[in-house]
Amino acid sequence: MVNRAQISLKIRQGFILVFVLIIALPALFFSVGKAYYASLVDATEKTLEAHLYSLISEVEFVSDGIEMPRSILAPELNRLNSDTFALVYQNDSLVWYSESAVNLSIDPSFSDTQTGASEFIRVEYNNELYWQLSLTVILGNAQHSQQARFVLLKKNDALVELMSGFRKTLVNWMLGMGIIIALLMAFGFVWNARPLQRLDKEIKQIEAGEREQITGLYPVELLTIKSDLNLLLESQKRQKERYRASLSDLAHALKTPLAVIKSSPMAKDEDVQEQLDRINVMIEHQLKRAATGASDTWKKQTVIKPTLDSILNAMSKVYVEKHIQFSKTCPDDVAFLGDKTDLMEILGNIIDNACKACDHMVDITVTSASKKQITIEVEDDGPGVPEASRTELLTRGTRLDTYEAGHGVGMAIVADLVKSYHGLIDIGTSKHGGAKFTIEFNHE
C-alpha cells in the first residue's frame, strides 16, 4: 500500500482537477440553476402582482356587480395565445375574465385567506401546472360594498422554457470554464513544478559528481532546503577530509611497526607469522570499514559492467588452470550508487571465493528494478556453504580461513561494506548445486 506522503504531485493535482470538474462545477451548476429558477418564480409573482393591481385600478362598481373594460392595459392579458390569464369571481361565480382566458376551462381552488391578503402558490389544473396569485378585496362605497376575488394565472411551462434556455447557456459556459480551469491548473502545475525539477536536476548532477553545490535560483519556499543541502554537502566534505587525514596517520602508524616486526628474526616463526597476517587483515578490514563510512556515497555513481568485466578478466588469468566458464548478465547502464573501490571490493571478494569453490562454472547476474534498486547474484557449482555456517560466515570476527573450498575469505569485509550502503546480503543454494550469494541495494 502506497503511503499518502508518497503520492506524486501530479496525482494530487489530478485529484484537485477531478474534484473541480466533477464535483465543484456540477455543484455550482446546480446552485446557479436553483437560484435562477427561484428568481424566475419571484419575478413571476411580482409580474402577476403588477397585473393584479392594474386590474383593481380599472374595475368599476355598478349596482348589480362590477364592470371592467374588455381591453385592459396589460398586453399579456389581451392575447389569445398568452400564457397569462386573469379571472374575477363574486360569490364563487365567474363575473369577468381576460381575453387571454377565452379558451381556458378551469375551476380555480382557493384557500381560506383573509380579505386583503394575497396568496401565491403553484397549482395543477387539467394536468397542467400554473402559478396562481389570488386576492380578495371589498369594492364599493360607504352605502354599498361588494366582495370580489381576483385570480391571475401564469403557465409553469413559460418558466420551464426560460429555465431550459438558461441551462443550455449555463452548460456552454460551464464547459468553457472547465476547459479554462483545466488549462490554468495544468499551466500552474508546470510552472510550480519547474523549480522542483531544476532542484532535482542539480541533485542528480551532484550524485554524478558533476557539481559540488546547489547554485540555482529558487523561490523563497525552497531557499531553506537549498541552504540545508549545501550545508550538508560542505559538512560531508570537511568530514571526509578529516577522515582521510586521520586514516592516513593511522595507517602509517600501524603499518610501519608491523613491517619492522615482519622483517625481524622473530617473524620466522610460523605461529608468529600467522598472527601478524591476521593483525594485518584486521587492520585492513577496519581501515576499509572506516573509509567507507566517510565516503560521499550519494555523490558517486559507478557503472557496474566495466568493473565486473575487469574483475572477470583478472579471475580468468588467476584461475586459468581451472578452465572456469563465466556466465555474465549485466545491462550496460546499471550503476552502483557508491565508490568504485567499494564495488571492486564487494564483487572481487565474492567472485574470488566463487572461483576457489567452484568446479568449472560461475554465474554472475545483475538486475535493476529501477535506478536505485540493484540486485547482484553470484552462483557457483562447488560444494556450497553449509546452512548452519551461513550466518557465522558474515559475522565480524569470524576466522575467515576455516571454511572449506575457499568460501569465507574477506566475507566479513564484504558484509560490512554492503551494510554501510544499507544493502542486504544473503547466502543460499545455487541452481548448480553450489553457493549463491545475493546482494540487494535499495536506495529509494
Side-chain angles (χ1 to χ4, degrees), residues 54-127:
S54 176
L55 288 175
I56 294 175
S57 67
E58 295 188 30
V59 69
E60 294 181 6
F61 172 77
V62 294
S63 59
D64 58 346
I66 62 173
E67 188 177 275
M68 294 190 68
R70 207 55 220 156
S71 178
I72 55 179
L73 294 177
E76 293 180 63
L77 300 178
N78 294 326
R79 297 195 308 265
L80 292 177
N81 60 347
S82 175
D83 55 18
T84 307
F85 317 96
L87 307 169
V88 180
Y89 289 83
Q90 276 190 308
N91 300 321
D92 296 329
S93 297
L94 180 63
V95 296
W96 180 88
Y97 55 87
S98 64
E99 290 187 13
S100 60
V102 169
N103 298 321
L104 187 67
S105 178
I106 62 171
D107 185 16
S109 59
F110 311 108
S111 58
D112 294 332
T113 55
Q114 294 181 352
T115 301
S118 63
E119 180 185 48
F120 181 72
I121 57 174
R122 192 172 71 167
V123 295
E124 182 177 350
Y125 300 127
N126 301 326
N127 298 322

Side-chain angles (χ1 to χ4, degrees), residues 212-230:
E212 293 293 327
Q213 284 194 327
I214 298 172
T215 57
L217 298 176
Y218 295 98
V220 176
E221 292 81 2
L222 297 179
L223 289 180
T224 301
I225 296 177
K226 172 186 173 182
S227 176
D228 289 346
L229 286 175
N230 284 334

Side-chain angles (χ1 to χ4, degrees), residues 248-319:
S248 178
D249 294 341
L250 179 61
H252 180 74
L254 294 175
K255 289 287 187 178
T256 302
L258 275 177
V260 173
I261 294 173
K262 277 191 171 186
S263 63
S264 67
M266 182 175 57
K268 295 180 181 179
D269 185 277
E270 292 184 1
D271 291 337
V272 173
Q273 186 66 43
E274 180 184 356
Q275 297 303 317
L276 288 174
D277 290 339
R278 287 187 61 198
I279 291 172
N280 191 55
V281 170
M282 290 172 62
I283 291 173
E284 293 288 347
H285 179 189
Q286 297 304 325
L287 288 178
K288 185 65 179 177
R289 188 180 182 199
T292 57
S295 63
D296 297 331
T297 59
W298 79 299
K299 293 174 59 177
K300 298 180 180 179
Q301 290 188 93
T302 303
V303 179
I304 295 177
K305 189 174 182 181
T307 303
L308 180 59
D309 289 341
S310 175
I311 292 172
L312 293 181
N313 184 51
M315 293 298 168
S316 63
K317 295 176 180 179
V318 173
Y319 297 99

